Amino acid sequence: MDARHVFKRIEENYELSKAHLTCSDRSKRFIEMRQFMCNFLRDESPMSLKQIGRALCRDHATIINSIKKFNDRMDTDQEYANRYADFVFYMKRNDSDKERDKALKILELIESKPTIGDRLLVIQNLISDGSEVV
């Protein structure tokens, strides 16, 4: 997994762009996401600390500090650890999981209709106009 893939997943799941993560803004949300990204890339990619820093427009010393802060918080803050576990889940989730979830939502929508005619109408609409299920 590379930084581009992680940036893409963060944007999809957390609505934070690469610009948000590489800017100098020190908002809690941005700092936390950068810490998650640094640790995840260190553990799950062959990227060096210098390469991770370059991806985030930081130097390697900043990445080392970010990982240290990450480890300190993981040891003392259960909510933070839970958010990181969710982050890892989203990062490792593959596209087939998304397609399966979409298919399950379609089935739930169809099954929620009380009559066969209503169910057929849902299927017809999906086929004819490609309606998305949200």
Side-chain angles (χ1 to χ4, degrees):
M1 184 168 302
D2 65 3
R4 283 179 286 153
H5 182 75
V6 174
F7 279 125
K8 181 181 174 209
R9 291 290 171 114
I10 289 172
E11 189 162 3
E12 290 171 357
N13 294 298
Y14 296 97
E15 298 177 359
L16 291 175
S17 69
K18 181 178 179 180
H20 288 122
L21 297 170
T22 59
C23 73
S24 61
D25 191 324
R26 297 201 31 85
S27 299
K28 180 181 176 185
R29 184 173 183 216
F30 297 159
I31 291 171
E32 183 173 284
M33 196 57 60
R34 282 191 290 261
Q35 288 173 348
F36 288 176
M37 187 173 175
C38 289
N39 194 74
F40 183 79
L41 286 171
R42 186 194 64 169
D43 289 347
E44 300 293 331
S45 80
M47 293 176 70
S48 68
L49 295 175
K50 188 173 184 175
Q51 290 170 322
I52 295 169
R54 202 170 331 174
L56 288 166
C57 299
R58 307 284 192 282
D59 63 24
H60 78 283
T62 302
I63 303 306
I64 291 169
N65 187 54
S66 179
I67 292 170
K68 181 184 179 314
K69 298 281 187 189
F70 169 86
N71 288 327
D72 290 346
R73 286 204 57 198
M74 287 294 284
D75 291 340
T76 59
D77 187 343
Q78 186 61 47
E79 293 287 324
Y80 184 85
N82 290 341
R83 287 191 302 274
Y84 183 67
D86 289 342
F87 176 84
V88 170
F89 170 78
Y90 287 123
M91 291 302 112
K92 290 186 173 185
R93 191 169 178 207
N94 62 36
D95 291 332
S96 64
D97 291 339
K98 291 180 191 177
E99 292 300 318
R100 186 197 55 186
D101 289 348
K102 185 176 177 181
L104 288 172
K105 286 180 183 180
I106 290 170
L107 287 173
E108 288 172 1
L109 177 63
I110 292 169
E111 289 177 355
S112 72
K113 301 301 178 183
T115 66
I116 292 176
D118 289 339
R119 292 176 181 183
L120 289 173
L121 187 60
V122 168
I123 294 168
Q124 183 180 19
N125 289 338
L126 287 168
I127 292 170
S128 66
D129 66 9
S131 298
E132 292 284 327
V133 176
V134 180

